[in-house]
Amino acid sequence: PADRLLVFAPHPDDETLAAGELIQAALAAGAAVRVVFATDGENNPWPQRWLERRWHVGAAERARWAERRRSEGIAALGVLGMASSESVRFLGWPDQGVTEVLMCDADAVGALVDEIYGFGPSHVVMPVLGDRHPDHSALRVMIELALLRAGSDCVRLGYAVHGQEQAARGLFVQRDAVHQQRKCEALAEHVSQTALSGRRLLRVAHRVETFEIANPAPTLVASDAPAIIRIPHRPDWPWSQRCDLLLVMATAGETVPYRFALPEFARLGSAMTLVDHQGRTTTVVREDDVFDVELPSSAAPIVALYAKLHRSGPRLMIFDREPWRDARELLHAP
């Protein structure tokens, strides 16, 4: 009963798919539960076209869809046993735009810090870094930065919805037939999502809920020597597509994002000097399956570091080929 479970969901329906049974178990134990939705899931045109029998989806239509998805999220949580609307929060960030929020909105991590301070969680539930949906993985980076800034020592539980069926190691929720049935009933409240993808979402909902446990020590990167991170990439990466190298570096006092545009045809073995829009530089060497990246200089030790090879051009599919990575694990001796 003394526990406090804070669930971060990138979109309405992720709370049910990823943690519907965990939420019920926490409530049954008498724990306090709060769910924070990062986006309203408004950028979802094909189900909206199908259900509303329209082709054009503009700003007004997306706003209406956002309200619908908020209502569905609240209804689903009610089925799971969360009766109070005060236990549900909506940040209203742009759907399919959380990466841009991370890279461009200096106040966004502060909003997450406010949620952490306001609720005081003993457990935080959030996406894993390896989730293939860019909103999911970017939200994980932001939550980690917020937990670091808040000085929280809570238990961190990571879930995967896209591209990773179960966490390799961690905790799982004991199956309960009543909780499983109620989870499916909660999912049915998300009519906007089940109309076209009901079977696929039910398959996800029927997985055993498994969570990676992440309690990383604050590994420091010294500021008085150059550091190289080695970022793996798929050898079959389509280099004809536009790609950015994203870095997020946090010191004790600030968080600094970097975005470097990679050449469309990066030659193997050659050193490239990349310059971002603020004139900051880094040196990158591409090999068959890795990029060696010299970190930009920092006046203070780096306490958190994340990197991603990010497709920056138009996408037919929203899912990532390369995820965000904790770059502290990629440090390489120069």
Side-chain angles (χ1 to χ4, degrees):
D3 285 339
R4 302 179 66 80
L5 183 73
L6 181 57
V7 179
F8 286 99
H11 318 92
D13 79 353
D14 290 319
E15 82 297 334
T16 298
L17 291 170
E21 293 180 71
L22 179 63
I23 289 171
Q24 293 178 73
L27 292 171
V33 179
R34 176 174 290 179
V35 175
V36 177
F37 292 101
T39 81
D40 297 333
E42 75 283 355
N43 191 5
N44 197 215
W46 289 107
Q48 187 170 9
R49 290 180 177 124
W50 174 262
L51 288 174
E52 296 186 353
R53 297 296 188 264
R54 68 170 60 249
W55 178 253
H56 175 74
V57 176
E61 290 78 17
R62 283 192 294 272
R64 184 173 62 249
W65 194 253
E67 287 298 321
R68 174 172 186 162
R69 294 202 66 181
R70 284 191 181 210
S71 297
E72 290 175 349
I74 293 171
L77 289 172
V79 172
L80 296 176
M82 292 180 59
S84 173
S85 60
E86 296 179 358
S87 298
V88 185
R89 317 277 281 194
F90 294 92
L91 299 179
W93 293 345
D95 184 16
Q96 298 186 42
V98 179
T99 301
E100 294 306 311
V101 173
L102 165 62
M103 299 303 296
C104 301
D105 187 346
D107 297 325
V109 171
L112 297 178
V113 173
D114 291 343
E115 294 294 337
I116 293 165
Y117 277 146
F119 187 67
S122 61
H123 297 69
V124 167
V125 179
M126 52 189 167
V128 295
L129 274 180
D131 194 296
R132 291 182 58 229
H133 194 301
D135 282 352
H136 287 233
S137 55
L139 180 60
R140 173 59 181 261
V141 173
M142 297 177 73
I143 296 169
E144 289 287 0
L145 295 172
L147 290 170
L148 182 66
R149 189 181 299 179
S152 175
D153 60 354
C154 64
V155 178
R156 306 177 188 194
L157 303 176
Y159 62 79
V161 174
H162 304 282
Q164 184 179 348
E165 290 200 359
Q166 292 186 353
R169 300 173 60 187
L171 297 176
F172 68 92
V173 178
Q174 187 71 40
R175 301 314 294 263
D176 179 289
V178 173
H179 287 177
Q180 176 67 29
Q181 177 61 31
R182 196 172 294 149
K183 176 176 180 175
C184 292
E185 293 170 359
L187 181 62
E189 295 290 339
H190 291 282
V191 176
S192 65
Q193 304 308 292
T194 57
L196 290 182
S197 304
R199 290 184 179 180
R200 177 178 63 84
L201 294 179
L202 274 174
R203 287 197 299 270
V204 176
H206 279 114
R207 298 175 188 167
V208 175
E209 289 186 7
T210 309
F211 300 90
E212 290 181 349
I213 305 173
N215 290 303
T219 304
L220 300 182
V221 179
S223 59
D224 56 355
I228 301 291
I229 56 172
R230 178 159 283 179
I231 307 174
H233 69 81
R234 293 172 53 162
D236 61 343
W237 180 277
W239 290 108
S240 59
Q241 295 183 356
R242 291 176 55 199
C243 179
D244 290 343
L245 168 64
L246 307 183
L247 297 175
V248 175
M249 296 169 47
T251 66
E254 63 176 346
T255 299
V256 183
Y258 298 84
R259 184 194 299 265
F260 300 100
L262 288 166
E264 291 187 5
F265 297 96
R267 297 176 59 184
L268 291 176
S270 60
M272 301 172 286
T273 299
L274 306 182
V275 183
D276 72 359
H277 70 285
Q278 295 188 23
R280 301 171 300 190
T281 63
T282 188
T283 300
V284 177
V285 178
R286 180 195 167 202
E287 303 296 347
D288 281 331
D289 56 358
V290 296
F291 276 103
D292 283 343
V293 179
E294 183 175 326
L295 294 180
S297 60
S298 172
I302 300 167
V303 297
L305 180 62
Y306 297 92
K308 182 186 182 185
L309 299 175
H310 181 70
R311 281 187 296 149
S312 56
R315 299 186 180 202
L316 292 177
M317 297 293 292
I318 63 174
F319 297 114
D320 281 328
R321 291 174 62 89
E322 298 288 348
W324 278 98
R325 302 176 188 273
D326 186 336
R328 293 172 300 176
E329 300 173 0
L330 306 175
L331 285 171
H332 176 67

